[in-house]
Amino acid sequence: MTQPSVPAVALAQIPFHKTPISEEDVDAVAQVLRSGWLATGPQTTAFEQEFAGYLGVAHAVAVNSGTAALHLALEAIGVRAGDDVIVPTLTFTSSAAVVRHLGARPVLADVDEASLNLPADEVQRRWTPRCKAVIPVHMAGVSCDMPGLMATAHARGALVVEDAAHALPTWCGSKPAGTYGAAAAFSFYATKTITTGEGGMIVTADSAVAQRARQMAFHGITRNAFGRYQSPGRWYYEVDDFGFKYNLTDVAAALGRSQLRRVDELWKERRAIAQMLDAGLSIVPEVQIPYRHGGANDSWHLYIMRLHVERLTCSRDEFIDELGHLGIGTSVHFIPLHLHPVYRKELGYRVGDFPVAEREYARMISLPIWPGMSTDNITRVVDAVAQVARAHRR
Ligand SMILES: Cc1ncc(COP(=O)(O)O)c(C=O)c1O
């Protein structure tokens, strides 16, 4: 093992993420536990209505992960075996894995160097005659060019499903991210901007898409079946398709409702932390601060700084190790999909296929950004980055 060039310090670890849980969150969950109704029920319905109201969309369907939301959204818009779906390579594996689960083929695409998002011209470049859908990912909470992507997809007869796992709240022009495509998928995983522990939401303006997603989220059982056949009792149900078990519990939904009440407050906290990190890091010549769209419209789910590796004597990985020695938790978002074994073996991708994603991946580090981070913690993060950069200045 190589010796760190900066001495380790005996300070408390600053984790990469710490979920902000309030006493109201705890009370909301406790109330459901005491109510006797833990599965999908009134809390879930209320969460769906409040979430739809927050975004200003007609329909929201709560499910038990962001991955489930993406899977159901694609299924509901009609992605089937034999279709192609364009997905950026710089994303989490579930953005593309769900395409495979439907028997379709993920067609990977490169990203824009500045925003790390899928650009419309790359969609044109990767287009195939079987392309049924495009999945833009709002990386780190920075909005994709939705008007450009929508125009490009529609001109060729494809639909758009937004991967909005990072994008609450993100604005794209005058509308929230997640309200452009035929459907969008949000994630409420523990590290996301609001959480239900595990959870997700499909949003759509299309009632048929919402109805299909709701049916397939719960075993393919249709609500209509109850009325249609004048059921002999409350125990009676009919299964119209081979569905999934993706419904959200009321325990989780109660936490989601409580967190949603604070979504703007939590966002302001993350934005303030981002501004402090920017101010401290913009004077470190070896570091590039995150991209933004002229200010106030990013969710700040992640703070992805990039290293000017040519100005350093160490690699990104060594930089991460040294931050670790100084007590700073970090992560990397993401290892490009085409570098993972299954994407190479099953889909034939190779190192070198997406040069922008590969180059940016090799120099990115996600720093801690979570509501509740103290000024002292933020200063420690900045000082640690500056210290490691100074120690490895070329
Ligand atoms: C871009 C992106 N899409 C989808 C997901 C899947 O969300 P979940 O973990 O809730 O299934 C994630 C989760 O990390 C993500 O980062």
Side-chain angles (χ1 to χ4, degrees), residues 15-38:
F16 171 64
H17 182 78
K18 193 169 164 200
T19 306
I21 294 293
S22 67
E23 282 310 307
E24 289 75 27
D25 293 337
V26 174
D27 289 346
V29 171
Q31 267 181 35
V32 175
L33 294 176
R34 289 195 189 98
S35 77
W37 187 272
L38 273 54

Side-chain angles (χ1 to χ4, degrees), residues 65-67 70 91-92 94-95 137 163 165-166 187 189 192 199 334:
S65 73
T67 305
L70 273 173
T91 184
F92 189 55
S94 55
S95 313
V137 179
D163 183 336
H166 301 181
S187 165
Y189 177 64
K192 296 300 193 291
F334 292 94

Side-chain angles (χ1 to χ4, degrees), residues 1 4 13 64 112 116 237 306:
M1 210 181 128
Q13 186 81 14
N64 58 14
D112 171 60
L116 303 175
Y237 59 87
R306 284 179 259 180

